[in-house]
mmCIF file of all heavy atoms in Angstrom:
data_model
loop_
_atom_site.group_PDB
_atom_site.id
_atom_site.type_symbol
_atom_site.label_atom_id
_atom_site.label_comp_id
_atom_site.label_asym_id
_atom_site.label_seq_id
_atom_site.Cartn_x
_atom_site.Cartn_y
_atom_site.Cartn_z
ATOM 1 N N THR A 26 -107.827 -72.528 -185.121
ATOM 2 C CA THR A 26 -108.192 -71.727 -186.279
ATOM 3 C C THR A 26 -107.088 -70.718 -186.565
ATOM 4 O O THR A 26 -106.374 -70.290 -185.656
ATOM 5 C CB THR A 26 -109.533 -70.989 -186.063
ATOM 6 O OG1 THR A 26 -109.870 -70.240 -187.233
ATOM 7 C CG2 THR A 26 -109.460 -70.046 -184.876
ATOM 8 N N SER A 27 -106.963 -70.348 -187.830
ATOM 9 C CA SER A 27 -106.025 -69.284 -188.201
ATOM 10 C C SER A 27 -106.724 -67.938 -188.309
ATOM 11 O O SER A 27 -106.088 -66.916 -188.561
ATOM 12 C CB SER A 27 -105.354 -69.620 -189.540
ATOM 13 O OG SER A 27 -106.339 -69.744 -190.559
ATOM 14 N N ILE A 28 -108.033 -67.939 -188.118
ATOM 15 C CA ILE A 28 -108.844 -66.732 -188.258
ATOM 16 C C ILE A 28 -108.815 -65.948 -186.944
ATOM 17 O O ILE A 28 -108.837 -66.534 -185.861
ATOM 18 C CB ILE A 28 -110.293 -67.092 -188.613
ATOM 19 C CG1 ILE A 28 -110.331 -67.902 -189.922
ATOM 20 C CG2 ILE A 28 -111.171 -65.850 -188.723
ATOM 21 C CD1 ILE A 28 -111.667 -68.572 -190.185
ATOM 22 N N CYS A 29 -108.773 -64.635 -187.050
ATOM 23 C CA CYS A 29 -108.820 -63.797 -185.850
ATOM 24 C C CYS A 29 -109.743 -62.609 -186.095
ATOM 25 O O CYS A 29 -109.834 -62.091 -187.214
ATOM 26 C CB CYS A 29 -107.424 -63.304 -185.470
ATOM 27 S SG CYS A 29 -107.381 -62.470 -183.855
ATOM 28 N N ASN A 30 -110.420 -62.175 -185.031
ATOM 29 C CA ASN A 30 -111.299 -61.010 -185.118
ATOM 30 C C ASN A 30 -110.567 -59.711 -184.800
ATOM 31 O O ASN A 30 -111.158 -58.640 -184.853
ATOM 32 C CB ASN A 30 -112.493 -61.173 -184.169
ATOM 33 C CG ASN A 30 -112.078 -61.376 -182.718
ATOM 34 O OD1 ASN A 30 -111.050 -61.995 -182.440
ATOM 35 N ND2 ASN A 30 -112.864 -60.872 -181.788
ATOM 36 N N PHE A 31 -109.270 -59.778 -184.470
ATOM 37 C CA PHE A 31 -108.450 -58.599 -184.218
ATOM 38 C C PHE A 31 -107.421 -58.440 -185.334
ATOM 39 O O PHE A 31 -107.147 -59.374 -186.081
ATOM 40 C CB PHE A 31 -107.709 -58.721 -182.885
ATOM 41 C CG PHE A 31 -108.539 -58.463 -181.652
ATOM 42 C CD1 PHE A 31 -109.909 -58.308 -181.699
ATOM 43 C CD2 PHE A 31 -107.919 -58.375 -180.412
ATOM 44 C CE1 PHE A 31 -110.656 -58.083 -180.557
ATOM 45 C CE2 PHE A 31 -108.651 -58.142 -179.262
ATOM 46 C CZ PHE A 31 -110.022 -57.998 -179.334
ATOM 47 N N ARG A 32 -106.840 -57.260 -185.391
ATOM 48 C CA ARG A 32 -105.711 -56.988 -186.279
ATOM 49 C C ARG A 32 -104.632 -56.261 -185.474
ATOM 50 O O ARG A 32 -104.316 -55.100 -185.726
ATOM 51 C CB ARG A 32 -106.143 -56.155 -187.499
ATOM 52 C CG ARG A 32 -107.022 -56.879 -188.481
ATOM 53 C CD ARG A 32 -106.298 -58.044 -189.158
ATOM 54 N NE ARG A 32 -107.133 -58.756 -190.131
ATOM 55 C CZ ARG A 32 -107.859 -59.818 -189.833
ATOM 56 N NH1 ARG A 32 -107.876 -60.289 -188.582
ATOM 57 N NH2 ARG A 32 -108.575 -60.413 -190.766
ATOM 58 N N CYS A 33 -104.083 -56.961 -184.486
ATOM 59 C CA CYS A 33 -103.101 -56.354 -183.590
ATOM 60 C C CYS A 33 -101.877 -55.899 -184.388
ATOM 61 O O CYS A 33 -101.449 -56.579 -185.334
ATOM 62 C CB CYS A 33 -102.692 -57.337 -182.507
ATOM 63 S SG CYS A 33 -104.097 -57.885 -181.503
ATOM 64 N N VAL A 34 -101.325 -54.790 -183.995
ATOM 65 C CA VAL A 34 -100.273 -54.162 -184.798
ATOM 66 C C VAL A 34 -99.003 -55.001 -184.876
ATOM 67 O O VAL A 34 -98.179 -54.807 -185.770
ATOM 68 C CB VAL A 34 -99.937 -52.756 -184.254
ATOM 69 C CG1 VAL A 34 -101.144 -51.849 -184.347
ATOM 70 C CG2 VAL A 34 -99.428 -52.820 -182.806
ATOM 71 N N PHE A 35 -98.834 -55.943 -183.945
ATOM 72 C CA PHE A 35 -97.608 -56.743 -183.891
ATOM 73 C C PHE A 35 -97.834 -58.169 -184.382
ATOM 74 O O PHE A 35 -97.018 -59.051 -184.127
ATOM 75 C CB PHE A 35 -97.084 -56.803 -182.447
ATOM 76 C CG PHE A 35 -98.184 -57.027 -181.442
ATOM 77 C CD1 PHE A 35 -98.734 -58.279 -181.249
ATOM 78 C CD2 PHE A 35 -98.686 -55.969 -180.720
ATOM 79 C CE1 PHE A 35 -99.763 -58.478 -180.358
ATOM 80 C CE2 PHE A 35 -99.710 -56.152 -179.808
ATOM 81 C CZ PHE A 35 -100.260 -57.404 -179.630
ATOM 82 N N CYS A 36 -98.930 -58.411 -185.100
ATOM 83 C CA CYS A 36 -99.335 -59.789 -185.417
ATOM 84 C C CYS A 36 -99.334 -60.062 -186.909
ATOM 85 O O CYS A 36 -99.488 -59.165 -187.739
ATOM 86 C CB CYS A 36 -100.730 -60.039 -184.840
ATOM 87 S SG CYS A 36 -101.352 -61.712 -185.099
ATOM 88 N N TYR A 37 -99.222 -61.357 -187.243
ATOM 89 C CA TYR A 37 -99.262 -61.818 -188.627
ATOM 90 C C TYR A 37 -100.569 -61.433 -189.329
ATOM 91 O O TYR A 37 -100.633 -61.351 -190.551
ATOM 92 C CB TYR A 37 -99.125 -63.344 -188.704
ATOM 93 C CG TYR A 37 -98.079 -63.932 -187.818
ATOM 94 C CD1 TYR A 37 -98.369 -65.012 -186.989
ATOM 95 C CD2 TYR A 37 -96.788 -63.428 -187.795
ATOM 96 C CE1 TYR A 37 -97.401 -65.573 -186.177
ATOM 97 C CE2 TYR A 37 -95.816 -63.982 -186.983
ATOM 98 C CZ TYR A 37 -96.131 -65.049 -186.172
ATOM 99 O OH TYR A 37 -95.176 -65.595 -185.365
ATOM 100 N N GLN A 38 -101.636 -61.232 -188.552
ATOM 101 C CA GLN A 38 -102.934 -60.930 -189.138
ATOM 102 C C GLN A 38 -102.945 -59.603 -189.904
ATOM 103 O O GLN A 38 -103.869 -59.325 -190.659
ATOM 104 C CB GLN A 38 -104.006 -60.904 -188.039
ATOM 105 C CG GLN A 38 -104.229 -62.232 -187.343
ATOM 106 C CD GLN A 38 -104.994 -63.237 -188.181
ATOM 107 O OE1 GLN A 38 -105.730 -62.869 -189.093
ATOM 108 N NE2 GLN A 38 -104.846 -64.519 -187.877
ATOM 109 N N THR A 39 -101.930 -58.773 -189.725
ATOM 110 C CA THR A 39 -101.850 -57.521 -190.478
ATOM 111 C C THR A 39 -101.328 -57.741 -191.902
ATOM 112 O O THR A 39 -101.340 -56.815 -192.704
ATOM 113 C CB THR A 39 -100.942 -56.509 -189.764
ATOM 114 O OG1 THR A 39 -99.632 -57.080 -189.599
ATOM 115 C CG2 THR A 39 -101.504 -56.139 -188.398
ATOM 116 N N ASP A 40 -100.879 -58.962 -192.203
ATOM 117 C CA ASP A 40 -100.378 -59.272 -193.537
ATOM 118 C C ASP A 40 -101.558 -59.641 -194.438
ATOM 119 O O ASP A 40 -102.175 -60.702 -194.273
ATOM 120 C CB ASP A 40 -99.385 -60.434 -193.451
ATOM 121 C CG ASP A 40 -98.688 -60.729 -194.766
ATOM 122 O OD1 ASP A 40 -99.383 -60.839 -195.791
ATOM 123 O OD2 ASP A 40 -97.450 -60.849 -194.759
ATOM 124 N N ALA A 41 -101.874 -58.773 -195.384
ATOM 125 C CA ALA A 41 -103.045 -58.969 -196.236
ATOM 126 C C ALA A 41 -102.934 -60.226 -197.085
ATOM 127 O O ALA A 41 -103.944 -60.862 -197.408
ATOM 128 C CB ALA A 41 -103.246 -57.740 -197.123
ATOM 129 N N GLU A 42 -101.726 -60.614 -197.448
ATOM 130 C CA GLU A 42 -101.539 -61.836 -198.232
ATOM 131 C C GLU A 42 -101.890 -63.060 -197.409
ATOM 132 O O GLU A 42 -102.447 -64.034 -197.925
ATOM 133 C CB GLU A 42 -100.091 -61.916 -198.716
ATOM 134 C CG GLU A 42 -99.812 -63.104 -199.617
ATOM 135 C CD GLU A 42 -98.384 -63.137 -200.111
ATOM 136 O OE1 GLU A 42 -97.960 -62.152 -200.745
ATOM 137 O OE2 GLU A 42 -97.682 -64.140 -199.843
ATOM 138 N N PHE A 43 -101.595 -63.006 -196.118
ATOM 139 C CA PHE A 43 -101.916 -64.118 -195.224
ATOM 140 C C PHE A 43 -103.419 -64.241 -195.004
ATOM 141 O O PHE A 43 -103.977 -65.342 -195.030
ATOM 142 C CB PHE A 43 -101.192 -63.923 -193.894
ATOM 143 C CG PHE A 43 -101.561 -64.914 -192.828
ATOM 144 C CD1 PHE A 43 -101.370 -66.270 -193.012
ATOM 145 C CD2 PHE A 43 -102.108 -64.484 -191.620
ATOM 146 C CE1 PHE A 43 -101.707 -67.192 -192.027
ATOM 147 C CE2 PHE A 43 -102.442 -65.395 -190.631
ATOM 148 C CZ PHE A 43 -102.254 -66.749 -190.841
ATOM 149 N N THR A 44 -104.102 -63.128 -194.792
ATOM 150 C CA THR A 44 -105.523 -63.177 -194.443
ATOM 151 C C THR A 44 -106.449 -63.258 -195.645
ATOM 152 O O THR A 44 -107.646 -63.514 -195.472
ATOM 153 C CB THR A 44 -105.904 -61.948 -193.599
ATOM 154 O OG1 THR A 44 -105.555 -60.753 -194.302
ATOM 155 C CG2 THR A 44 -105.175 -61.970 -192.254
ATOM 156 N N ALA A 45 -105.936 -63.054 -196.851
ATOM 157 C CA ALA A 45 -106.790 -63.154 -198.043
ATOM 158 C C ALA A 45 -107.296 -64.586 -198.198
ATOM 159 O O ALA A 45 -106.511 -65.532 -198.272
ATOM 160 C CB ALA A 45 -106.005 -62.726 -199.280
ATOM 161 N N LYS A 46 -108.600 -64.763 -198.240
ATOM 162 C CA LYS A 46 -109.193 -66.102 -198.300
ATOM 163 C C LYS A 46 -108.707 -66.900 -199.506
ATOM 164 O O LYS A 46 -108.547 -68.117 -199.430
ATOM 165 C CB LYS A 46 -110.712 -65.986 -198.317
ATOM 166 C CG LYS A 46 -111.308 -65.493 -197.008
ATOM 167 C CD LYS A 46 -112.835 -65.470 -197.074
ATOM 168 C CE LYS A 46 -113.429 -64.987 -195.763
ATOM 169 N NZ LYS A 46 -114.905 -64.942 -195.798
ATOM 170 N N LYS A 47 -108.448 -66.209 -200.616
ATOM 171 C CA LYS A 47 -108.065 -66.907 -201.850
ATOM 172 C C LYS A 47 -106.723 -67.615 -201.723
ATOM 173 O O LYS A 47 -106.421 -68.536 -202.497
ATOM 174 C CB LYS A 47 -108.009 -65.918 -203.007
ATOM 175 C CG LYS A 47 -106.924 -64.857 -202.868
ATOM 176 C CD LYS A 47 -106.900 -63.903 -204.056
ATOM 177 C CE LYS A 47 -105.785 -62.870 -203.907
ATOM 178 N NZ LYS A 47 -105.748 -61.946 -205.070
ATOM 179 N N ASN A 48 -105.907 -67.234 -200.742
ATOM 180 C CA ASN A 48 -104.578 -67.828 -200.607
ATOM 181 C C ASN A 48 -104.565 -69.082 -199.736
ATOM 182 O O ASN A 48 -103.526 -69.718 -199.577
ATOM 183 C CB ASN A 48 -103.597 -66.786 -200.062
ATOM 184 C CG ASN A 48 -103.335 -65.683 -201.062
ATOM 185 O OD1 ASN A 48 -103.369 -65.904 -202.271
ATOM 186 N ND2 ASN A 48 -103.082 -64.469 -200.575
ATOM 187 N N GLY A 49 -105.702 -69.424 -199.149
ATOM 188 C CA GLY A 49 -105.838 -70.716 -198.480
ATOM 189 C C GLY A 49 -105.271 -70.826 -197.087
ATOM 190 O O GLY A 49 -105.213 -71.932 -196.531
ATOM 191 N N HIS A 50 -104.862 -69.710 -196.484
ATOM 192 C CA HIS A 50 -104.305 -69.784 -195.138
ATOM 193 C C HIS A 50 -105.377 -69.736 -194.044
ATOM 194 O O HIS A 50 -105.098 -70.094 -192.901
ATOM 195 C CB HIS A 50 -103.329 -68.626 -194.904
ATOM 196 C CG HIS A 50 -102.138 -68.629 -195.804
ATOM 197 N ND1 HIS A 50 -101.238 -69.676 -195.834
ATOM 198 C CD2 HIS A 50 -101.699 -67.715 -196.715
ATOM 199 C CE1 HIS A 50 -100.289 -69.401 -196.718
ATOM 200 N NE2 HIS A 50 -100.547 -68.232 -197.267
ATOM 201 N N MET A 51 -106.575 -69.283 -194.385
ATOM 202 C CA MET A 51 -107.616 -69.077 -193.390
ATOM 203 C C MET A 51 -108.530 -70.289 -193.275
ATOM 204 O O MET A 51 -108.976 -70.844 -194.290
ATOM 205 C CB MET A 51 -108.456 -67.851 -193.752
ATOM 206 C CG MET A 51 -107.717 -66.511 -193.719
ATOM 207 S SD MET A 51 -107.289 -65.967 -192.038
ATOM 208 C CE MET A 51 -105.540 -66.415 -191.970
ATOM 209 N N GLY A 52 -108.832 -70.688 -192.040
ATOM 210 C CA GLY A 52 -109.760 -71.788 -191.826
ATOM 211 C C GLY A 52 -109.737 -72.260 -190.385
ATOM 212 O O GLY A 52 -108.963 -71.765 -189.561
ATOM 213 N N SER A 53 -110.596 -73.225 -190.065
ATOM 214 C CA SER A 53 -110.685 -73.794 -188.724
ATOM 215 C C SER A 53 -110.532 -75.307 -188.779
ATOM 216 O O SER A 53 -110.978 -75.950 -189.743
ATOM 217 C CB SER A 53 -112.022 -73.431 -188.071
ATOM 218 O OG SER A 53 -112.118 -72.039 -187.843
ATOM 219 N N MET A 54 -109.924 -75.860 -187.762
ATOM 220 C CA MET A 54 -109.652 -77.292 -187.697
ATOM 221 C C MET A 54 -110.933 -78.080 -187.440
ATOM 222 O O MET A 54 -111.782 -77.661 -186.652
ATOM 223 C CB MET A 54 -108.627 -77.565 -186.589
ATOM 224 C CG MET A 54 -108.204 -79.010 -186.467
ATOM 225 S SD MET A 54 -106.882 -79.254 -185.229
ATOM 226 C CE MET A 54 -105.462 -78.600 -186.119
ATOM 227 N N SER A 55 -111.046 -79.228 -188.082
ATOM 228 C CA SER A 55 -112.173 -80.113 -187.809
ATOM 229 C C SER A 55 -111.941 -80.838 -186.490
ATOM 230 O O SER A 55 -110.796 -81.054 -186.062
ATOM 231 C CB SER A 55 -112.346 -81.138 -188.930
ATOM 232 O OG SER A 55 -111.295 -82.101 -188.891
ATOM 233 N N LEU A 56 -113.028 -81.222 -185.849
ATOM 234 C CA LEU A 56 -112.916 -81.944 -184.587
ATOM 235 C C LEU A 56 -112.232 -83.293 -184.792
ATOM 236 O O LEU A 56 -111.428 -83.725 -183.955
ATOM 237 C CB LEU A 56 -114.300 -82.127 -183.973
ATOM 238 C CG LEU A 56 -114.352 -82.830 -182.614
ATOM 239 C CD1 LEU A 56 -113.508 -82.093 -181.577
ATOM 240 C CD2 LEU A 56 -115.803 -82.948 -182.145
ATOM 241 N N ASP A 57 -112.510 -83.966 -185.891
ATOM 242 C CA ASP A 57 -111.890 -85.269 -186.154
ATOM 243 C C ASP A 57 -110.371 -85.133 -186.283
ATOM 244 O O ASP A 57 -109.620 -85.980 -185.764
ATOM 245 C CB ASP A 57 -112.469 -85.888 -187.424
ATOM 246 C CG ASP A 57 -113.866 -86.449 -187.227
ATOM 247 O OD1 ASP A 57 -114.268 -86.616 -186.055
ATOM 248 O OD2 ASP A 57 -114.558 -86.688 -188.231
ATOM 249 N N LEU A 58 -109.912 -84.096 -186.965
ATOM 250 C CA LEU A 58 -108.468 -83.904 -187.096
ATOM 251 C C LEU A 58 -107.849 -83.586 -185.749
ATOM 252 O O LEU A 58 -106.781 -84.109 -185.413
ATOM 253 C CB LEU A 58 -108.179 -82.777 -188.091
ATOM 254 C CG LEU A 58 -106.693 -82.435 -188.305
ATOM 255 C CD1 LEU A 58 -105.910 -83.661 -188.764
ATOM 256 C CD2 LEU A 58 -106.543 -81.295 -189.321
ATOM 257 N N PHE A 59 -108.518 -82.770 -184.966
ATOM 258 C CA PHE A 59 -108.013 -82.455 -183.629
ATOM 259 C C PHE A 59 -107.877 -83.734 -182.796
ATOM 260 O O PHE A 59 -106.868 -83.934 -182.109
ATOM 261 C CB PHE A 59 -108.948 -81.471 -182.931
ATOM 262 C CG PHE A 59 -108.509 -81.095 -181.543
ATOM 263 C CD1 PHE A 59 -107.557 -80.105 -181.349
ATOM 264 C CD2 PHE A 59 -109.029 -81.739 -180.431
ATOM 265 C CE1 PHE A 59 -107.136 -79.753 -180.065
ATOM 266 C CE2 PHE A 59 -108.622 -81.395 -179.147
ATOM 267 C CZ PHE A 59 -107.671 -80.406 -178.974
ATOM 268 N N LYS A 60 -108.864 -84.593 -182.846
ATOM 269 C CA LYS A 60 -108.807 -85.839 -182.078
ATOM 270 C C LYS A 60 -107.636 -86.703 -182.527
ATOM 271 O O LYS A 60 -106.965 -87.333 -181.687
ATOM 272 C CB LYS A 60 -110.127 -86.605 -182.230
ATOM 273 C CG LYS A 60 -111.298 -85.972 -181.486
ATOM 274 C CD LYS A 60 -112.574 -86.785 -181.679
ATOM 275 C CE LYS A 60 -113.732 -86.215 -180.868
ATOM 276 N NZ LYS A 60 -114.975 -87.013 -181.051
ATOM 277 N N LYS A 61 -107.375 -86.750 -183.818
ATOM 278 C CA LYS A 61 -106.242 -87.532 -184.323
ATOM 279 C C LYS A 61 -104.929 -86.992 -183.748
ATOM 280 O O LYS A 61 -104.058 -87.771 -183.323
ATOM 281 C CB LYS A 61 -106.210 -87.486 -185.853
ATOM 282 C CG LYS A 61 -104.998 -88.186 -186.489
ATOM 283 C CD LYS A 61 -105.050 -88.125 -188.001
ATOM 284 C CE LYS A 61 -103.776 -88.663 -188.635
ATOM 285 N NZ LYS A 61 -103.603 -90.115 -188.446
ATOM 286 N N ILE A 62 -104.787 -85.676 -183.719
ATOM 287 C CA ILE A 62 -103.560 -85.074 -183.189
ATOM 288 C C ILE A 62 -103.413 -85.376 -181.706
ATOM 289 O O ILE A 62 -102.321 -85.740 -181.232
ATOM 290 C CB ILE A 62 -103.571 -83.552 -183.435
ATOM 291 C CG1 ILE A 62 -103.620 -83.246 -184.935
ATOM 292 C CG2 ILE A 62 -102.340 -82.897 -182.816
ATOM 293 C CD1 ILE A 62 -103.967 -81.809 -185.251
ATOM 294 N N VAL A 63 -104.489 -85.234 -180.949
ATOM 295 C CA VAL A 63 -104.445 -85.521 -179.511
ATOM 296 C C VAL A 63 -104.094 -86.980 -179.265
ATOM 297 O O VAL A 63 -103.285 -87.305 -178.384
ATOM 298 C CB VAL A 63 -105.784 -85.146 -178.851
ATOM 299 C CG1 VAL A 63 -105.875 -85.712 -177.434
ATOM 300 C CG2 VAL A 63 -105.957 -83.625 -178.808
ATOM 301 N N ASP A 64 -104.670 -87.875 -180.041
ATOM 302 C CA ASP A 64 -104.372 -89.302 -179.879
ATOM 303 C C ASP A 64 -102.896 -89.583 -180.156
ATOM 304 O O ASP A 64 -102.276 -90.427 -179.490
ATOM 305 C CB ASP A 64 -105.243 -90.134 -180.816
ATOM 306 C CG ASP A 64 -106.711 -90.133 -180.414
ATOM 307 O OD1 ASP A 64 -107.030 -89.700 -179.285
ATOM 308 O OD2 ASP A 64 -107.551 -90.539 -181.258
ATOM 309 N N MET A 65 -102.320 -88.897 -181.127
ATOM 310 C CA MET A 65 -100.903 -89.074 -181.432
ATOM 311 C C MET A 65 -100.016 -88.514 -180.316
ATOM 312 O O MET A 65 -98.926 -89.037 -180.067
ATOM 313 C CB MET A 65 -100.570 -88.372 -182.755
ATOM 314 C CG MET A 65 -101.178 -89.024 -183.983
ATOM 315 S SD MET A 65 -101.040 -87.996 -185.485
ATOM 316 C CE MET A 65 -99.275 -87.993 -185.731
ATOM 317 N N ALA A 66 -100.487 -87.469 -179.642
ATOM 318 C CA ALA A 66 -99.665 -86.783 -178.645
ATOM 319 C C ALA A 66 -99.791 -87.375 -177.249
ATOM 320 O O ALA A 66 -98.840 -87.308 -176.456
ATOM 321 C CB ALA A 66 -100.045 -85.306 -178.600
ATOM 322 N N GLU A 67 -100.943 -87.952 -176.919
ATOM 323 C CA GLU A 67 -101.171 -88.425 -175.557
ATOM 324 C C GLU A 67 -100.131 -89.477 -175.163
ATOM 325 O O GLU A 67 -99.861 -90.423 -175.894
ATOM 326 C CB GLU A 67 -102.574 -89.026 -175.431
ATOM 327 C CG GLU A 67 -102.920 -89.416 -174.005
ATOM 328 C CD GLU A 67 -104.317 -90.001 -173.861
ATOM 329 O OE1 GLU A 67 -104.986 -90.217 -174.898
ATOM 330 O OE2 GLU A 67 -104.736 -90.264 -172.715
ATOM 331 N N GLY A 68 -99.538 -89.281 -173.994
ATOM 332 C CA GLY A 68 -98.513 -90.186 -173.503
ATOM 333 C C GLY A 68 -97.128 -89.898 -174.040
ATOM 334 O O GLY A 68 -96.147 -90.492 -173.577
ATOM 335 N N ARG A 69 -97.020 -88.982 -174.982
ATOM 336 C CA ARG A 69 -95.725 -88.635 -175.574
ATOM 337 C C ARG A 69 -95.369 -87.171 -175.373
ATOM 338 O O ARG A 69 -94.192 -86.813 -175.379
ATOM 339 C CB ARG A 69 -95.748 -88.956 -177.077
ATOM 340 C CG ARG A 69 -95.955 -90.444 -177.362
ATOM 341 C CD ARG A 69 -96.315 -90.694 -178.812
ATOM 342 N NE ARG A 69 -96.580 -92.121 -179.048
ATOM 343 C CZ ARG A 69 -97.746 -92.709 -178.817
ATOM 344 N NH1 ARG A 69 -98.765 -91.982 -178.357
ATOM 345 N NH2 ARG A 69 -97.916 -93.991 -179.043
ATOM 346 N N VAL A 70 -96.397 -86.342 -175.223
ATOM 347 C CA VAL A 70 -96.216 -84.905 -175.030
ATOM 348 C C VAL A 70 -97.039 -84.483 -173.823
ATOM 349 O O VAL A 70 -98.150 -84.979 -173.624
ATOM 350 C CB VAL A 70 -96.681 -84.121 -176.277
ATOM 351 C CG1 VAL A 70 -96.567 -82.620 -176.061
ATOM 352 C CG2 VAL A 70 -95.885 -84.535 -177.507
ATOM 353 N N GLU A 71 -96.493 -83.580 -173.013
ATOM 354 C CA GLU A 71 -97.259 -83.022 -171.895
ATOM 355 C C GLU A 71 -97.697 -81.589 -172.172
ATOM 356 O O GLU A 71 -98.733 -81.150 -171.691
ATOM 357 C CB GLU A 71 -96.444 -83.056 -170.594
ATOM 358 C CG GLU A 71 -96.116 -84.439 -170.081
ATOM 359 C CD GLU A 71 -97.329 -85.224 -169.587
ATOM 360 O OE1 GLU A 71 -98.440 -84.670 -169.554
ATOM 361 O OE2 GLU A 71 -97.159 -86.413 -169.270
ATOM 362 N N ALA A 72 -96.897 -80.832 -172.929
ATOM 363 C CA ALA A 72 -97.203 -79.424 -173.193
ATOM 364 C C ALA A 72 -97.925 -79.298 -174.524
ATOM 365 O O ALA A 72 -97.334 -79.511 -175.586
ATOM 366 C CB ALA A 72 -95.924 -78.588 -173.200
#
């Protein structure tokens, strides 16, 4: 997810343009998309 419950002083989350919902940067990944990424990475990436 790109959403955070903190606004740490050294973090991107302090940028109001980034966190404004209307700009489309905020959201959470679907489980299906996560599985697709893992399937692509397994056996090719360790980290």
